[in-house]
Amino acid sequence: MKEQTYFQQNREKHLAELNEWLSIPSISAISSHKEDINRAAQWAADALTRAGMENVEVIQTAGHPIVYADHLHAPGKPTALIYGHYDVQPVDPLNLWETPPFEPTVRDGKLFARGATDDKGQIFLHIKAVEALLAENKELPVNVKFCIEGEEEISSPNLPIYLNDNTDKLRADMVLISDTSLLEKGKPAISTGLRGLCSLEVDLNTANTDLHSGSFGGGVPNALHALVSLLASLHDEQGRVSVDGFYDGVLPLSPEMREEFVKQGFNEEQLRQDLGLEQLYGEEGYSFVERVGARPTLELNGVWGGFQGEGTKTVIPKEAHAKITCRLVADQDPQQVLDRIEAHLRAHVQPGATLHVKQIEKAFAFNTDPTDPILQKAADAYEQVYGVRALFTKDGGSIPIVEKLSRVLGVPAVMMGFGLPDENLHAPNEHFNLENFDKGLLTIVQFLKSL
């Protein structure tokens, strides 16, 4: 592959360019970094221009800019829309970083910096893959569009608006995304599912004041008792969610998909030991990887109320609170799930308690068919470079914009990740293994050629 020579000859130059981008603290969640966000967007636009892309734009939104570019000179050939994001997570706690998060450093074959694997490093691979193809062949094997946003880490509030207003402009035969990881070193994976999400907060009130447990205990409702009883009703003894209709829209796992999970060779006993657990827990009838990747969940993220100071205070609390999130799969409707959880809570609350429910986040799950020929070509491309064909997986996390892009454009999303699970994305000492930097470039080129 002549592109491989191009990558080898330009490796230090490419890494120096990536270091420039990683040095920009483009933290989307912190308003004081607005100028850094704008600089990072312009850097991406300039890199696309240098790579040979055309119609490069930095598009202002109500929040952070979107960067667009295209190269549409392959008539009759497929069009790939390459999506990624240039915004990054905050860096706290700063004292746990071995080197400053925005001063990229290579140690032990790994590039350390915030954004190195999520997602500047991975979308950078696509920019350089296109650059190499144009430099070596003077043309691309397919039509290519880029859409790089600056708000993924804050749930992409403005990209769906842009997508709805510019559907024809973004029209493609597939969405190509690198924002996930290999299963482990040398073991590539293609995610065919990302779980959706919904969340709610629960406030439960009883009397209009806290009460003395000696004077009132046993004769009035206790907010903590009422809340604990209510939350316990959300699951049965087999680990299933007890909310009526919660599993509506959940598709059964096919034998082929379950076999893909088996091929991962996941060591549940090792995980149990690593986490210091007596045993794992979850919905009966499913393995750990199935539970966390392909089954829906309802989790308590916070429960509080009453006296929590040192010593004892004999009080009957007047209020108690909980935060709940659900990970959703396949065709579950997040609004419907929220409504049914709220109905369940109201139906099961103890007499004498008043319930207040606040519905918050809603995001659909992403699901695609691994037998799609485009995904099969992606698996083949990994095999050409890594010597191991990619396995098809389902990831437990959520990237809501993936489902939106796939649904609005009516095309498959190809999740070709090149990170590793232990690269500390969202945590101190985030890094990107340079072995996958090198192999990722070749895999993307191989995939685009195969189309």
Short mmCIF file of all heavy atoms in Angstrom, two decimals, residues 154-196:
data_model
loop_
_atom_site.label_atom_id
_atom_site.label_comp_id
_atom_site.label_asym_id
_atom_site.label_seq_id
_atom_site.Cartn_x
_atom_site.Cartn_y
_atom_site.Cartn_z
N ILE A 154 -21.24 17.81 25.49
CA ILE A 154 -22.38 18.41 26.19
C ILE A 154 -23.68 18.02 25.48
O ILE A 154 -24.65 18.77 25.44
CB ILE A 154 -22.25 19.94 26.32
CG1 ILE A 154 -21.99 20.61 24.96
CG2 ILE A 154 -21.13 20.30 27.30
CD1 ILE A 154 -22.02 22.13 25.01
N SER A 155 -23.67 16.80 24.90
CA SER A 155 -24.87 16.17 24.32
C SER A 155 -25.35 16.78 23.01
O SER A 155 -26.52 16.65 22.65
CB SER A 155 -26.03 16.16 25.34
OG SER A 155 -25.65 15.44 26.50
N SER A 156 -24.48 17.46 22.28
CA SER A 156 -24.76 17.91 20.91
C SER A 156 -26.08 18.67 20.78
O SER A 156 -26.95 18.30 19.99
CB SER A 156 -24.77 16.71 19.96
OG SER A 156 -23.58 15.98 20.03
N PRO A 157 -26.28 19.76 21.52
CA PRO A 157 -27.58 20.44 21.45
C PRO A 157 -27.88 21.09 20.10
O PRO A 157 -29.06 21.24 19.75
CB PRO A 157 -27.48 21.50 22.55
CG PRO A 157 -26.02 21.72 22.76
CD PRO A 157 -25.38 20.39 22.50
N ASN A 158 -26.85 21.49 19.34
CA ASN A 158 -27.11 22.24 18.11
C ASN A 158 -26.90 21.46 16.82
O ASN A 158 -27.43 21.86 15.78
CB ASN A 158 -26.23 23.50 18.10
CG ASN A 158 -26.70 24.53 19.10
OD1 ASN A 158 -27.77 25.11 18.94
ND2 ASN A 158 -25.93 24.72 20.16
N LEU A 159 -26.18 20.36 16.85
CA LEU A 159 -25.99 19.59 15.63
C LEU A 159 -27.30 19.02 15.08
O LEU A 159 -27.51 19.03 13.86
CB LEU A 159 -24.96 18.49 15.84
CG LEU A 159 -24.61 17.66 14.59
CD1 LEU A 159 -24.17 18.54 13.44
CD2 LEU A 159 -23.52 16.63 14.91
N PRO A 160 -28.22 18.51 15.92
CA PRO A 160 -29.49 18.04 15.36
C PRO A 160 -30.25 19.12 14.60
O PRO A 160 -30.90 18.84 13.58
CB PRO A 160 -30.28 17.58 16.60
CG PRO A 160 -29.22 17.20 17.57
CD PRO A 160 -28.12 18.19 17.36
N ILE A 161 -30.17 20.37 15.07
CA ILE A 161 -30.83 21.48 14.37
C ILE A 161 -30.18 21.67 13.00
O ILE A 161 -30.87 21.81 11.97
CB ILE A 161 -30.74 22.77 15.21
CG1 ILE A 161 -31.44 22.57 16.56
CG2 ILE A 161 -31.33 23.95 14.45
CD1 ILE A 161 -31.18 23.69 17.55
N TYR A 162 -28.85 21.68 12.97
CA TYR A 162 -28.13 21.83 11.71
C TYR A 162 -28.43 20.66 10.78
O TYR A 162 -28.63 20.86 9.57
CB TYR A 162 -26.63 21.92 11.99
CG TYR A 162 -25.79 22.03 10.75
CD1 TYR A 162 -25.70 23.24 10.05
CD2 TYR A 162 -25.07 20.94 10.26
CE1 TYR A 162 -24.93 23.35 8.89
CE2 TYR A 162 -24.31 21.04 9.11
CZ TYR A 162 -24.24 22.24 8.43
OH TYR A 162 -23.49 22.34 7.30
N LEU A 163 -28.49 19.45 11.33
CA LEU A 163 -28.78 18.27 10.53
C LEU A 163 -30.17 18.36 9.90
O LEU A 163 -30.34 18.07 8.70
CB LEU A 163 -28.67 17.02 11.41
CG LEU A 163 -29.08 15.68 10.79
CD1 LEU A 163 -28.24 15.36 9.57
CD2 LEU A 163 -28.95 14.57 11.83
N ASN A 164 -31.14 18.76 10.67
CA ASN A 164 -32.51 18.88 10.13
C ASN A 164 -32.59 19.95 9.05
O ASN A 164 -33.35 19.80 8.07
CB ASN A 164 -33.49 19.20 11.26
CG ASN A 164 -33.71 18.02 12.19
OD1 ASN A 164 -33.52 16.87 11.80
ND2 ASN A 164 -34.09 18.30 13.43
N ASP A 165 -31.83 21.03 9.21
CA ASP A 165 -31.87 22.12 8.23
C ASP A 165 -31.00 21.86 7.01
O ASP A 165 -31.14 22.55 5.99
CB ASP A 165 -31.42 23.43 8.90
CG ASP A 165 -32.39 23.93 9.95
OD1 ASP A 165 -33.56 23.48 9.93
OD2 ASP A 165 -31.99 24.75 10.79
N ASN A 166 -30.09 20.89 7.10
CA ASN A 166 -29.12 20.66 6.02
C ASN A 166 -29.03 19.17 5.66
O ASN A 166 -27.94 18.68 5.33
CB ASN A 166 -27.74 21.19 6.42
CG ASN A 166 -27.71 22.68 6.62
OD1 ASN A 166 -27.48 23.44 5.68
ND2 ASN A 166 -27.93 23.11 7.87
N THR A 167 -30.16 18.49 5.70
CA THR A 167 -30.16 17.05 5.45
C THR A 167 -29.59 16.72 4.08
O THR A 167 -28.79 15.78 3.94
CB THR A 167 -31.59 16.49 5.59
OG1 THR A 167 -32.08 16.82 6.89
CG2 THR A 167 -31.59 14.97 5.44
N ASP A 168 -30.00 17.46 3.06
CA ASP A 168 -29.50 17.18 1.71
C ASP A 168 -27.99 17.43 1.60
O ASP A 168 -27.28 16.68 0.93
CB ASP A 168 -30.24 18.03 0.69
CG ASP A 168 -31.68 17.55 0.49
OD1 ASP A 168 -31.96 16.38 0.81
OD2 ASP A 168 -32.51 18.35 0.04
N LYS A 169 -27.52 18.46 2.27
CA LYS A 169 -26.09 18.78 2.24
C LYS A 169 -25.27 17.65 2.86
O LYS A 169 -24.17 17.34 2.40
CB LYS A 169 -25.85 20.09 2.99
CG LYS A 169 -24.40 20.55 3.03
CD LYS A 169 -24.30 21.88 3.74
CE LYS A 169 -22.87 22.38 3.83
NZ LYS A 169 -22.81 23.71 4.49
N LEU A 170 -25.81 17.01 3.91
CA LEU A 170 -25.09 15.95 4.61
C LEU A 170 -25.42 14.56 4.08
O LEU A 170 -24.91 13.56 4.59
CB LEU A 170 -25.41 16.01 6.11
CG LEU A 170 -24.97 17.30 6.83
CD1 LEU A 170 -25.42 17.26 8.28
CD2 LEU A 170 -23.47 17.50 6.73
N ARG A 171 -26.26 14.49 3.08
CA ARG A 171 -26.70 13.19 2.55
C ARG A 171 -25.50 12.31 2.18
O ARG A 171 -24.53 12.78 1.59
CB ARG A 171 -27.57 13.42 1.31
CG ARG A 171 -28.26 12.18 0.79
CD ARG A 171 -29.44 11.79 1.63
NE ARG A 171 -30.50 12.80 1.65
CZ ARG A 171 -31.52 12.77 2.50
NH1 ARG A 171 -31.60 11.80 3.41
NH2 ARG A 171 -32.45 13.70 2.45
N ALA A 172 -25.57 11.04 2.55
CA ALA A 172 -24.46 10.12 2.30
C ALA A 172 -25.00 8.70 2.27
O ALA A 172 -26.18 8.45 2.52
CB ALA A 172 -23.39 10.27 3.38
N ASP A 173 -24.12 7.76 1.97
CA ASP A 173 -24.48 6.34 1.97
C ASP A 173 -24.12 5.65 3.27
O ASP A 173 -24.51 4.51 3.51
CB ASP A 173 -23.80 5.63 0.80
CG ASP A 173 -24.27 6.16 -0.55
OD1 ASP A 173 -25.42 5.90 -0.90
OD2 ASP A 173 -23.48 6.87 -1.20
N MET A 174 -23.36 6.32 4.10
CA MET A 174 -22.99 5.80 5.41
C MET A 174 -22.47 6.95 6.25
O MET A 174 -22.01 7.96 5.71
CB MET A 174 -21.90 4.73 5.30
CG MET A 174 -20.51 5.29 5.06
SD MET A 174 -19.37 4.17 4.27
CE MET A 174 -20.04 4.19 2.60
N VAL A 175 -22.51 6.78 7.56
CA VAL A 175 -21.82 7.69 8.49
C VAL A 175 -20.65 6.91 9.06
O VAL A 175 -20.83 5.80 9.58
CB VAL A 175 -22.76 8.16 9.61
CG1 VAL A 175 -22.02 9.13 10.53
CG2 VAL A 175 -24.01 8.83 9.04
N LEU A 176 -19.46 7.45 8.96
CA LEU A 176 -18.24 6.79 9.42
C LEU A 176 -17.74 7.52 10.66
O LEU A 176 -17.50 8.73 10.62
CB LEU A 176 -17.20 6.80 8.30
CG LEU A 176 -15.84 6.18 8.58
CD1 LEU A 176 -15.97 4.75 9.08
CD2 LEU A 176 -14.96 6.25 7.34
N ILE A 177 -17.59 6.78 11.76
CA ILE A 177 -17.28 7.39 13.05
C ILE A 177 -16.17 6.61 13.75
O ILE A 177 -16.23 5.38 13.83
CB ILE A 177 -18.52 7.42 13.96
CG1 ILE A 177 -19.68 8.16 13.28
CG2 ILE A 177 -18.21 8.05 15.31
CD1 ILE A 177 -21.01 8.02 14.00
N SER A 178 -15.19 7.33 14.26
CA SER A 178 -14.17 6.72 15.13
C SER A 178 -14.21 7.43 16.46
O SER A 178 -13.57 8.47 16.65
CB SER A 178 -12.78 6.81 14.48
OG SER A 178 -12.72 6.03 13.31
N ASP A 179 -14.97 6.88 17.40
CA ASP A 179 -15.11 7.47 18.73
C ASP A 179 -15.33 6.36 19.76
O ASP A 179 -15.92 6.58 20.81
CB ASP A 179 -16.27 8.47 18.75
CG ASP A 179 -16.21 9.41 19.95
OD1 ASP A 179 -15.19 9.41 20.65
OD2 ASP A 179 -17.20 10.13 20.19
N THR A 180 -14.90 5.14 19.39
CA THR A 180 -15.03 3.99 20.28
C THR A 180 -13.67 3.30 20.36
O THR A 180 -12.66 3.88 19.97
CB THR A 180 -16.11 3.02 19.75
OG1 THR A 180 -15.86 2.72 18.37
CG2 THR A 180 -17.50 3.62 19.88
N SER A 181 -13.64 2.06 20.84
CA SER A 181 -12.35 1.42 21.07
C SER A 181 -12.33 -0.01 20.57
O SER A 181 -13.37 -0.60 20.25
CB SER A 181 -12.02 1.43 22.57
OG SER A 181 -12.93 0.60 23.27
N LEU A 182 -11.11 -0.54 20.48
CA LEU A 182 -10.93 -1.97 20.27
C LEU A 182 -11.38 -2.70 21.55
O LEU A 182 -11.49 -2.09 22.62
CB LEU A 182 -9.47 -2.29 19.99
CG LEU A 182 -8.91 -1.99 18.58
CD1 LEU A 182 -8.79 -0.50 18.34
CD2 LEU A 182 -7.54 -2.65 18.41
N LEU A 183 -11.61 -3.99 21.44
CA LEU A 183 -11.91 -4.76 22.65
C LEU A 183 -10.72 -4.78 23.59
O LEU A 183 -10.85 -4.64 24.80
CB LEU A 183 -12.30 -6.19 22.28
CG LEU A 183 -13.69 -6.38 21.70
CD1 LEU A 183 -13.86 -7.80 21.17
CD2 LEU A 183 -14.76 -6.08 22.74
N GLU A 184 -9.55 -4.96 23.02
CA GLU A 184 -8.28 -4.95 23.75
C GLU A 184 -7.19 -4.81 22.71
O GLU A 184 -7.46 -4.77 21.50
CB GLU A 184 -8.10 -6.22 24.58
CG GLU A 184 -8.13 -7.50 23.75
CD GLU A 184 -8.12 -8.76 24.59
OE1 GLU A 184 -9.01 -8.93 25.44
OE2 GLU A 184 -7.19 -9.57 24.38
N LYS A 185 -5.96 -4.73 23.13
CA LYS A 185 -4.83 -4.57 22.22
C LYS A 185 -4.85 -5.67 21.16
O LYS A 185 -4.90 -6.86 21.48
CB LYS A 185 -3.52 -4.63 23.00
CG LYS A 185 -2.26 -4.52 22.15
CD LYS A 185 -1.02 -4.59 23.03
CE LYS A 185 0.26 -4.73 22.22
NZ LYS A 185 0.53 -3.56 21.37
N GLY A 186 -4.83 -5.27 19.88
CA GLY A 186 -4.79 -6.22 18.78
C GLY A 186 -6.10 -6.92 18.49
O GLY A 186 -6.13 -7.84 17.66
N LYS A 187 -7.19 -6.51 19.13
CA LYS A 187 -8.48 -7.19 18.97
C LYS A 187 -9.54 -6.16 18.58
O LYS A 187 -10.25 -5.64 19.43
CB LYS A 187 -8.85 -7.91 20.27
CG LYS A 187 -9.90 -9.00 20.12
CD LYS A 187 -10.03 -9.79 21.41
CE LYS A 187 -11.03 -10.92 21.27
NZ LYS A 187 -11.13 -11.72 22.53
N PRO A 188 -9.65 -5.84 17.28
CA PRO A 188 -10.55 -4.78 16.84
C PRO A 188 -12.03 -5.15 16.99
O PRO A 188 -12.39 -6.33 17.03
CB PRO A 188 -10.18 -4.58 15.37
CG PRO A 188 -9.54 -5.85 14.95
CD PRO A 188 -8.87 -6.40 16.16
N ALA A 189 -12.86 -4.12 17.06
CA ALA A 189 -14.29 -4.31 17.22
C ALA A 189 -15.04 -3.23 16.47
O ALA A 189 -14.55 -2.10 16.31
CB ALA A 189 -14.67 -4.26 18.70
N ILE A 190 -16.23 -3.57 16.02
CA ILE A 190 -17.14 -2.62 15.39
C ILE A 190 -18.43 -2.63 16.21
O ILE A 190 -19.09 -3.66 16.32
CB ILE A 190 -17.43 -2.98 13.93
CG1 ILE A 190 -16.15 -2.91 13.10
CG2 ILE A 190 -18.50 -2.06 13.34
CD1 ILE A 190 -16.31 -3.45 11.69
N SER A 191 -18.76 -1.50 16.78
CA SER A 191 -19.97 -1.42 17.59
C SER A 191 -21.20 -1.35 16.69
O SER A 191 -21.29 -0.49 15.81
CB SER A 191 -19.93 -0.20 18.51
OG SER A 191 -21.13 -0.09 19.22
N THR A 192 -22.15 -2.25 16.93
CA THR A 192 -23.41 -2.23 16.17
C THR A 192 -24.55 -1.71 17.03
O THR A 192 -25.71 -1.76 16.63
CB THR A 192 -23.76 -3.63 15.65
OG1 THR A 192 -23.99 -4.52 16.76
CG2 THR A 192 -22.63 -4.19 14.79
N GLY A 193 -24.25 -1.24 18.22
CA GLY A 193 -25.29 -0.71 19.08
C GLY A 193 -24.72 0.17 20.18
O GLY A 193 -23.67 -0.13 20.75
N LEU A 194 -25.38 1.29 20.42
CA LEU A 194 -25.07 2.17 21.54
C LEU A 194 -26.37 2.37 22.31
O LEU A 194 -27.40 2.65 21.70
CB LEU A 194 -24.54 3.51 21.06
CG LEU A 194 -23.22 3.49 20.29
CD1 LEU A 194 -23.01 4.82 19.57
CD2 LEU A 194 -22.06 3.24 21.24
N ARG A 195 -26.30 2.24 23.60
CA ARG A 195 -27.54 2.36 24.36
C ARG A 195 -28.02 3.80 24.43
O ARG A 195 -27.23 4.74 24.47
CB ARG A 195 -27.35 1.78 25.76
CG ARG A 195 -27.18 0.27 25.73
CD ARG A 195 -27.36 -0.39 27.07
NE ARG A 195 -26.29 -0.08 28.01
CZ ARG A 195 -26.12 -0.70 29.18
NH1 ARG A 195 -26.98 -1.65 29.54
NH2 ARG A 195 -25.13 -0.38 29.97
N GLY A 196 -29.34 3.95 24.43
CA GLY A 196 -29.95 5.24 24.65
C GLY A 196 -29.98 5.56 26.13
O GLY A 196 -29.46 4.82 26.96
#
